Amino acid sequence: MMTGTGCWCGTLLLLLHIADSERFEVLGSTRAIVAVAGDDIILPCYIKPNISAEDMRVDWFRINLPDPQSNIRVHLYQDGIDKYHDQVLSYRGRTSLFKEELKKGNTSLKLTRVQGTDDGRYKCLVESKTHYDDATIQVYVRAVGSKPEVSIEGQKEGGMALLCVSKGWFPEPELEWLDSEGVTLSAGPSETDRDYEGFYIVKLKIPVNETDNLFTCRLRQRQQHEVIKMETEFHFPSEPILVHTDTWKVALAVIGSLGFFLMVILAFTIWRWNALCKVYDASRAEHSQELEQVKDELRLELEKNLNTKLKMLADQLDLVNMKGCPELETIRKHAVDVTLDPDTAHHYSCVPE
Ligand SMILES: *[C@@H]1O[C@H](CO)[C@@H](O)[C@H](O)[C@H]1NC(C)=O
Ligand SMILES: *[C@@H]1O[C@H](CO)[C@@H](O)[C@H](O)[C@H]1NC(C)=O
Ligand SMILES: *[C@@H]1O[C@H](CO)[C@@H](O)[C@H](O)[C@H]1NC(C)=O
């Protein structure tokens, strides 16, 4: 028979046992993850013992230095689903957990298309109803950017400057200008920007003299164990300061000769057009003169023919002395002064039978 005390003790032991069975440890990786920009990476995190984490809360966030209180939400899994309501925009669409692996206590995070803003310390916090633990994972992003580009810039004071620009780096590289002897030219600190994916853009400007004609822009990026170096040289032509006036001269010469060429073409076209018009007019005049002549000849011929025919008719009519033809008088009249009118000629149809 169990006593009251025994029963109470048994319950306590059972509760302790349950609590103990739910106790777990969260492990990440002691080694930092080095991620190359654009790659997909896995941030390792799992619980030990390997009980299922499907019903637990898995919270991935980035520790926001220098203010560790304002963490950045990277991914949240709670009540069996992913929750994105307070996920930071730069991680949108790039994070996921391995759902099959959750059953085995694997709460690793997959992060796709790594960018500059992903660099930092991440925390993986796993929480059951009775217990929680976390692990920290360091991610270093590495991006090798573009070769430095050098351009000439005018200065407000009338002098010239050389500008060196390089983009797409992580971490931030250093820039410096060297003269032809390899001596560093002091030019103040470089200007630094970050693009929307967090990659660094660096710029450095130096005023230049006519005294030297070879300048080198040197970029250096320090990674953990290696240093990446890139250089771009800039040679001034033998007459350095005339560079932009020369450009203007060339531009003017090109525009000038192009204009002249166009004018010549235009003038030639106008001249050709006029000549063609003259030829056309002349030939037209000639033709119309010929036509006029033919027309006159024809008219004369017709008039002659008609008049003789009419005269013959009138004579015949007079001869037969025909009466009752009212048009006879008209015919007589017209017989004298007929002009070219071949259309009306056939109306005089009063012909003797
Ligand atoms: C948990 O780990 C043990 C031994 O390490 C292994 O036998 C077992 O299959 C694992 N369970 C799961 C769900 O992975
Ligand atoms: C967790 O899952 C990922 C993805 O399948 C795998 O790469 C990783 O090795 C797993 N971690 C452990 C501790 O099983
Ligand atoms: C330009 O010339 C001045 C003196 O004429 C000199 O002090 C200065 O260091 C020169 N700068 C460069 C970039 O050569």
Side-chain angles (χ1 to χ4, degrees):
M1 274 275 264
M2 269 174 108
T3 62
T5 339
C7 181
W8 188 82
C9 276
T11 315
L12 189 69
L13 274 171
L14 187 68
L15 280 173
L16 274 173
H17 177 73
I18 291 167
D20 198 45
S21 74
E22 286 234 319
R23 183 166 295 169
F24 55 83
E25 206 182 338
V26 173
L27 299 166
S29 169
T30 47
R31 289 172 75 185
I33 311 290
V34 177
V36 174
D39 278 2
D40 296 351
I41 55 166
I42 293 171
L43 278 63
C45 182
Y46 58 97
I47 54 180
K48 199 176 145 190
N50 57 359
I51 49 171
S52 171
E54 275 181 307
D55 299 324
M56 297 185 189
R57 183 176 182 273
V58 179
D59 190 357
W60 275 97
F61 53 89
R62 202 176 83 217
I63 300 162
N64 194 21
L65 292 172
D67 178 17
Q69 293 309 304
S70 64
N71 292 318
I72 289 168
R73 169 64 42 69
V74 175
H75 194 97
L76 177 64
Y77 172 89
Q78 196 175 18
D79 308 323
I81 53 167
D82 296 306
K83 301 203 166 164
Y84 296 107
H85 62 279
D86 63 350
Q87 185 188 44
V88 163
L89 205 66
S90 64
Y91 290 98
R92 192 66 42 94
R94 298 197 295 127
T95 61
S96 57
L97 297 179
F98 299 92
K99 294 293 151 63
E100 281 307 306
E101 294 285 324
L102 274 181
K103 289 177 200 149
K104 299 184 240 168
N106 184 348
T107 56
S108 300
L109 181 82
K110 184 176 183 184
L111 180 61
T112 58
R113 302 187 305 278
V114 165
Q115 56 189 51
T117 47
D118 296 341
D119 188 274
R121 267 182 112 67
Y122 288 78
K123 208 155 235 189
C124 163
L125 172 70
V126 183
E127 203 176 335
S128 74
K129 287 184 179 66
T130 55
H131 190 73
Y132 74 87
D133 192 18
D134 63 37
T136 306
I137 296 101
Q138 177 73 49
V139 173
Y140 291 118
V141 174
R142 293 282 166 264
V144 173
S146 63
K147 194 170 192 292
E149 274 179 36
V150 175
S151 57
I152 308 172
E153 287 217 329
Q155 288 274 81
K156 279 182 202 132
E157 309 85 52
M160 262 202 306
L162 288 180
L163 176 68
C164 180
V165 182
S166 187
K167 297 173 183 174
W169 292 91
F170 206 99
E172 186 182 350
E174 296 154 20
L175 281 184
E176 63 176 346
W177 274 106
L178 311 168
D179 67 10
S180 55
E181 264 114 53
V183 177
T184 304
L185 300 162
S186 53
S190 56
E191 193 187 310
T192 306
D193 267 329
R194 289 182 82 170
D195 66 17
Y196 73 101
E197 289 189 341
F199 298 114
Y200 286 100
I201 302 165
V202 284
K203 296 177 191 176
L204 185 61
K205 197 157 125 174
I206 45 152
V208 289
N209 283 354
E210 293 157 80
T211 46
D212 209 346
N213 63 3
L214 173 66
F215 296 89
T216 305
C217 175
R218 178 181 288 167
L219 179 144
R220 229 193 297 238
Q221 186 196 44
R222 276 171 228 280
Q223 300 195 346
Q224 275 136 332
H225 304 296
E226 55 173 332
V227 178
I228 292 180
K229 256 198 228 174
M230 277 190 194
E231 283 184 357
T232 300
E233 284 189 351
F234 186 83
H235 292 267
F236 271 114
S238 40
E239 297 160 49
I241 300 304
L242 291 176
V243 167
H244 41 293
T245 48
D246 270 359
T247 325
W248 270 110
K249 271 185 204 159
V250 169
L252 274 176
V254 167
I255 291 167
S257 48
L258 210 73
F260 177 73
F261 189 62
L262 279 175
M263 293 269 280
V264 167
I265 288 179
L266 197 71
F268 180 73
T269 312
I270 289 170
W271 174 76
R272 274 303 293 164
W273 179 254
N274 278 341
L276 273 174
C277 281
K278 262 181 209 149
V279 168
Y280 177 71
D281 281 349
S283 73
R284 205 169 60 167
E286 209 174 292
H287 272 105
S288 64
Q289 225 167 12
E290 271 173 28
L291 274 174
E292 214 53 47
Q293 224 170 322
V294 170
K295 221 161 91 181
D296 283 347
E297 278 166 17
L298 272 173
R299 186 191 290 145
L300 282 172
E301 192 83 2
L302 261 170
E303 273 176 21
K304 225 163 77 185
N305 272 348
L306 264 172
N307 279 336
T308 45
K309 284 251 164 73
L310 280 170
K311 251 198 197 105
M312 269 165 63
L313 260 175
D315 290 350
Q316 275 177 6
L317 281 170
D318 279 344
L319 273 177
V320 251
N321 209 2
M322 208 183 178
K323 275 173 194 144
C325 182
E327 282 166 286
L328 188 64
E329 277 307 304
T330 328
I331 294 167
R332 269 210 191 104
K333 228 186 276 167
H334 278 92
V336 192
D337 57 8
V338 82
T339 50
L340 180 71
D341 201 359
D343 288 346
T344 48
H346 73 276
H347 288 305
Y348 303 103
S349 49
C350 190
V351 196
E353 303 274 279

